[in-house]
Amino acid sequence: MSEDIKRIIPENAGLILEGGGSRGVFTAGILDYFMEKNLYFPYVVGVSAGACNALDYRSEQPYRTRDTFIIRDKALHPINPLNIPRIGYIYDMDLPFYEYPHVHFPFDFETYKNSEMKCEMVVTDIDTGRAEYLSEDKDDDRILNICRASSTLPFLAPPVTLDGKRYMDGGLADSIPYARSMKLGYKKHVVILTQQEGYRKKQDKTSDMLVRTVYGKEKALVRTCIRRPGVYNRQLDILKRLEDEGRIFVIRPTEKTVKRLESDLNELDRFYQHGYNTAVNIFDEMMAYLNK
């Protein structure tokens, strides 16, 4: 980071990061530009892929999320059918949440822990089906395990246990946690979405049946998963109203998005660059919103 650029810290402002798997490269592009401009919000809350972005934003590591999402070495890719006989799941979560930060893409724990930025990551409590907003400022392993829990998608990886509770992907219970930023008292809110305007989540009977079959004993989790499309769409409706009223600033893709588990490197590079270019284009407008 260039020291000759004045650090920008908006007053009383929250940054909200949606998840979306591989679509998180769009957010990475935006935050990389923010970090190049030395812009750091006092509060950030992230969900799933948004939580991964939030960690690298607080640790002030531009391009790290990009590099961990666009894996060019196949040997380092966490999704592999050969993982199933070895660990029982297709997604090897030990790669992104242990080997990457400690070996392949070092994570700056010291900068993260010394930051004044408040960072929360959304998780879903399996026993209640409700969202929780967790943070950690001291313990390296716990920092990574909270992010791991926030990113643990059903079917792909096992739940994460923290403090005796079992957690999974935060997006199941709260996909766009702008209400959390409001509840904490922040007055300005910048939301980064990973879907285009007009997107709505559809109810999928096949997925609902699969959730009931695999997680049938977890009644609260099943209920949350099945209700998710309706809850998510209501969040979008409220967000649009708040945006139209000038109370929230929303950044979203305007080009074709990538798949949740996109494997095409060219597509991932394109979508990352779209995020970066979007940040360039909206930066002045966003700063005007934050400063008014």
Side-chain angles (χ1 to χ4, degrees):
M1 182 65 62
S2 176
E3 296 298 329
D4 60 352
I5 301 177
K6 183 179 178 181
R7 194 174 185 85
I8 305 170
I9 304 176
E11 291 186 10
N12 212 8
L15 178 63
I16 298 95
L17 310 179
E18 184 183 17
S22 298
R23 290 190 291 274
V25 296
F26 175 78
T27 305
I30 292 171
L31 296 185
D32 283 348
Y33 184 73
F34 285 4
M35 285 187 273
E36 288 179 6
K37 300 293 285 187
N38 222 4
L39 170 66
Y40 291 94
F41 283 69
Y43 171 71
V44 60
V45 57
V47 184
S48 194
C52 298
N53 270 290
L55 286 192
D56 293 333
Y57 182 55
R58 176 170 159 163
S59 68
E60 303 186 20
Q61 290 182 270
Y63 323 118
R64 183 180 182 275
T65 307
R66 177 198 66 188
D67 294 343
T68 57
F69 275 38
I70 308 177
I71 298 297
R72 303 185 189 281
D73 183 348
K74 290 184 178 180
L76 296 180
H77 204 291
I79 299 178
N80 189 329
L82 296 178
N83 290 335
I84 296 176
R86 184 172 62 86
I87 60 175
Y89 291 88
I90 195 171
Y91 204 118
D92 182 357
M93 298 290 275
D94 285 342
L95 268 172
F97 297 105
Y98 184 80
E99 290 191 31
Y100 287 4
H102 291 292
V103 182
H104 307 292
F105 307 98
F107 181 74
D108 189 344
F109 288 99
E110 291 310 307
T111 298
Y112 183 91
K113 289 184 287 188
N114 291 325
S115 174
E116 295 182 358
M117 181 189 299
K118 181 178 177 62
C119 176
E120 291 189 322
M121 293 170 275
V122 188
V123 296
T124 299
D125 184 327
I126 289 177
D127 293 322
T128 66
R130 295 175 182 170
E132 292 187 15
Y133 308 87
L134 304 182
S135 61
E136 177 57 50
D137 298 323
K138 297 179 180 179
D139 187 288
D140 293 3
D141 290 339
R142 184 174 170 81
I143 291 168
L144 296 176
N145 283 330
I146 293 174
C147 191
R148 178 174 182 155
S150 182
S151 306
T152 297
L153 287 167
F155 313 119
L156 298 186
V160 174
T161 300
L162 293 167
D163 305 324
K165 294 183 177 182
R166 297 172 302 148
Y167 294 112
M168 296 194 82
D169 190 285
L172 301 175
D174 190 356
S175 298
I176 317 170
Y178 53 87
R180 175 65 176 177
S181 182
M182 292 177 166
K183 183 177 181 179
L184 292 179
Y186 295 96
K187 302 303 181 184
K188 299 290 181 70
H189 315 273
V190 173
V191 178
I192 302 179
L193 300 179
T194 56
Q195 296 279 14
Q196 292 176 296
E197 185 169 7
Y199 171 81
R200 289 296 183 272
K201 196 175 291 293
K202 297 178 181 179
Q203 200 77 39
D204 187 325
K205 293 183 179 180
T206 301
S207 293
D208 292 349
M209 183 174 64
L210 189 58
V211 167
R212 289 191 178 98
T213 300
V214 176
Y215 297 101
K217 294 181 180 180
E218 312 293 351
K219 302 299 183 184
L221 178 67
V222 169
R223 183 169 59 250
T224 295
C225 289
I226 291 175
R227 290 178 176 176
R228 187 188 180 199
V231 172
Y232 179 79
N233 292 339
R234 283 194 294 275
Q235 282 187 311
L236 287 176
D237 291 340
I238 295 170
L239 187 64
K240 187 67 172 73
R241 175 173 58 79
L242 293 171
E243 180 185 16
D244 290 343
E245 293 172 355
R247 297 170 60 188
I248 283 183
F249 191 90
V250 181
I251 307 171
R252 53 172 69 83
T254 56
E255 295 182 2
K256 178 185 175 183
T257 62
V258 297
K259 295 178 290 187
R260 175 178 288 276
L261 300 178
E262 184 63 67
S263 59
D264 187 318
L265 297 180
N266 290 329
E267 278 294 284
L268 291 169
D269 285 333
R270 175 192 65 79
F271 203 47
Y272 166 82
Q273 191 61 47
H274 177 48
Y276 186 93
N277 293 341
T278 298
V280 173
N281 292 333
I282 59 83
F283 191 80
D284 289 344
E285 182 184 359
M286 180 187 69
M287 293 307 300
Y289 159 80
L290 291 171
N291 292 325
K292 70 180 179 181

